Amino acid sequence: MSSTVFVSYSSVDASLANSIYNYLNQHGIRALKAPEDIRPGQDWASSIAAMIDNATHMVLIWTSGSMASKEVAKELTLAMQSNTVIIPFQVEDLAPAGAWRYHLANLHWLQAHNTDHNTACQSLLEQIKGIQPAAKPVPTKRGTKGAGALIALMISFGVLLLNLLALVVGVWFGLSQPILQNGIATLIGTVYRAIPPLSMGLYVAALVLAITSLVRHRGNKTQAIWSIVLTAVQLLAYGVGAATGILPR
């Protein structure tokens, strides 16, 4: 597996970073760093994140400047999230402090402060070739397990529209029935009477989905509650409509 190395550094150490970057590229290792590998017009932050995601290793040039850099800290966090092999390249005899102690505690440091630069770069090259990177995490695909509340809400709205349509058709049918031909009147009446049982089935489906979403803490809680409320109001309206004869029983 070929290695791709992201070079993380503080801006005060740009000259040293350029030297390591050029050395790795000249010796068959694909090195990446900002700003060289960010195209004009590209978003800086997303480009760096993409480079780290695609890298097998990250060389962290460790100096007082990098320890004080918030950007280097962000790059380290992204590398840890991506299972990127992190190699601290210690240029100064400086122990990590604060959160750095935690993040760098279990890493093997390359001591570059007590040897010449070429020897340190050669050791870095050997270390990169000798450490096999771990498998990159596979992005989790978004499924439909949390969509129950939204589906329930959509069903509730759909049934509401269906019953409003039934109400309009019922009023129109009552006024127009005397002048309609028998076949058309029968067809409309059949469709009209089929709406309530269909609505009841959809009511049950919406309630089951919404309540399941609430109980299992899946999906949007607000959507589930709105679905239950909307369905309950429609059931009440349906009961009143059926009792008064506006809707068929």
Side-chain angles (χ1 to χ4, degrees):
M1 179 179 180
S2 59
S3 299
T4 301
V5 179
F6 177 78
V7 180
S8 177
Y9 66 100
S10 167
S11 58
V12 297
D13 303 311
S15 178
L16 176 60
N18 288 336
S19 176
I20 295 174
Y21 173 80
N22 292 330
Y23 182 91
L24 293 176
N25 279 314
Q26 291 168 3
H27 287 78
I29 300 294
R30 185 189 178 203
L32 302 171
K33 84 178 187 69
E36 283 80 357
D37 294 288
I38 299 179
R39 296 178 181 177
Q42 285 186 322
D43 179 72
W44 185 278
S46 60
S47 296
I48 289 179
M51 282 191 282
I52 294 174
D53 287 340
N54 293 326
T56 56
H57 302 71
M58 184 177 88
V59 174
L60 171 60
I61 299 178
W62 183 250
T63 64
S64 56
S66 58
M67 188 166 68
S69 172
K70 293 181 179 179
E71 300 306 315
V72 173
K74 293 176 186 177
E75 292 166 0
L76 174 63
T77 300
L78 290 175
M80 294 172 67
Q81 292 173 348
S82 298
N83 284 349
T84 303
V85 175
I86 301 167
I87 303 175
F89 189 87
Q90 189 173 9
V91 180
E92 300 177 11
D93 188 10
L94 175 69
W100 290 102
R101 288 184 60 198
Y102 177 84
H103 293 307
L104 302 176
N106 295 325
L107 299 180
H108 177 69
W109 291 64
L110 195 156
Q111 306 292 336
H113 63 281
N114 53 9
T115 186
D116 64 273
H117 181 67
N118 286 335
T119 301
C121 286
Q122 184 177 356
S123 298
L124 175 62
L125 184 64
E126 293 172 355
Q127 192 164 338
I128 291 171
K129 292 180 178 179
I131 302 177
Q132 292 298 321
K136 292 285 186 177
V138 178
T140 303
K141 294 183 179 180
R142 297 182 64 182
T144 58
K145 291 185 177 180
L150 178 60
I151 294 173
L153 186 60
M154 292 173 64
I155 292 174
S156 299
F157 272 114
V159 178
L160 174 61
L161 294 176
L162 181 64
N163 281 295
L164 288 175
L165 177 62
L167 181 61
V168 173
V169 171
V171 173
W172 173 82
F173 183 62
L175 296 175
S176 305
Q177 187 173 6
I179 62 174
L180 291 175
Q181 296 180 5
N182 289 337
I184 298 177
T186 301
L187 177 61
I188 294 176
T190 301
V191 174
Y192 179 57
R193 284 187 291 272
I195 290 177
L198 175 62
S199 298
M200 290 301 297
L202 292 173
Y203 285 144
V204 173
L207 283 174
V208 169
L209 282 171
I211 293 173
T212 301
S213 296
L214 283 178
V215 172
R216 296 186 178 181
H217 303 287
R218 290 180 175 179
N220 188 293
K221 182 179 179 180
T222 302
Q223 291 175 349
I225 293 174
W226 270 109
S227 177
I228 293 172
V229 171
L230 189 59
T231 302
V233 170
Q234 290 182 72
L235 283 171
L236 179 61
Y238 172 74
V240 173
T244 57
I246 297 176
L247 291 175
R249 297 175 185 272

